[in-house]
Structure formats: structure tokens, C-alpha cells
Amino acid sequence: MKKIDIYIYTLTHSRGRGPAVYKAVLEFIRSNGTPYTLEIDGFDLETTRNRITIQAAVMAMRRIKLNETYEIRIHAGSDYFARMLKGTEIYAQHEWKTAAGKEIANADLWKQIYIFTQTNKVTADAERMERYECKKELEEKLCSCTN
């Protein structure tokens, strides 16, 4: 099974909803044995830190070919992301609702992540986040998208 590492970096200046930017870096080894890196980035003018992290993961996984099964490790500095990823199977079984019957936050994006978990081994952690230094780049993008 081929392995793909996805590193997700996000930046927002608001504690609640507001503008945010992300960068996702995919790393894998091509079939000819050479390493390959793909960078994608994006922004949202009205979002939360948790939502922009999930959105970055979705956009990164959309770049992966669907004709093979992969071991995908998502490195995101978010305990929320790792915890929710572990629970996608249970949430799907309960129609994306909490025990109290309320729809989980960001269900629209979690449903997309869930699709990938059905054919791939997808895990998350907050390790190796120092691999790419992109804080300055994200600061510049955040400033440019809010001006």
C-alpha cells in the first residue's frame, strides 16, 4: 500500500469566525521511486480554525488518485481534527448527529473525509509539524485576502 503524508498548516487571527488561510503539502514516492511533493493552498473569508483545517484536508485528498488504496497520514496541529477523524465511522452510523441528536459541526466536510476512509487507511496526528516553515507565507496570504 502506498503511503502519503499530508501536512496541514492554518492561520486565522480570530478566535471565532473570521478569515483564515491554509497550506497543505502532500508527500509521497512515485512509482519510479522518486519523491514527490505537491503544495496546495486556499482561504475562506468567514470560517473557524477547525473548519479551515478540515477544508484543507478535503482539498488535499481530492488531489489523490482514486484508483489505488493508500495509507494516508494527515499531520495537522489540531487535536479536534484527530479526535473527529477517529469517530467518522460512528458519526456516519448515527447520521452525523451527536448523542443529543444535533448535527455535528462541519458535517458537510466530514462526510467528504469519510468517503476517503472507506477505501484508504486515514490517520491523523500533530507530529512533524516543523517539517515545513510557512508561517510568514500564511501571514502574507491572510493579510492579502483581508485587504
Side-chain angles (χ1 to χ4, degrees), residues 126-137:
E127 298 172 7
R128 298 172 44 190
M129 293 306 298
E130 73 285 347
R131 186 154 175 97
Y132 294 95
E133 179 52 51
C134 57
K135 184 172 179 163
K136 183 177 179 183
E137 175 187 347

Side-chain angles (χ1 to χ4, degrees), residues 1-7 25-31 33-38 64-65 68-75 120-123 128 131:
M1 183 181 312
K2 291 183 180 179
K3 295 181 180 183
I4 299 176
D5 283 292
I6 300 174
Y7 297 86
V25 181
L26 290 82
E27 289 183 345
F28 58 93
I29 304 297
R30 290 183 169 164
S31 56
T34 60
Y36 184 75
T37 302
L38 175 67
I64 298 171
K65 292 179 182 177
E68 293 186 47
T69 301
Y70 300 95
E71 182 178 327
I72 303 169
R73 176 165 295 269
I74 301 172
H75 307 275
N120 300 283
K121 179 182 178 194
V122 183
T123 58
R128 298 172 44 190
R131 186 154 175 97

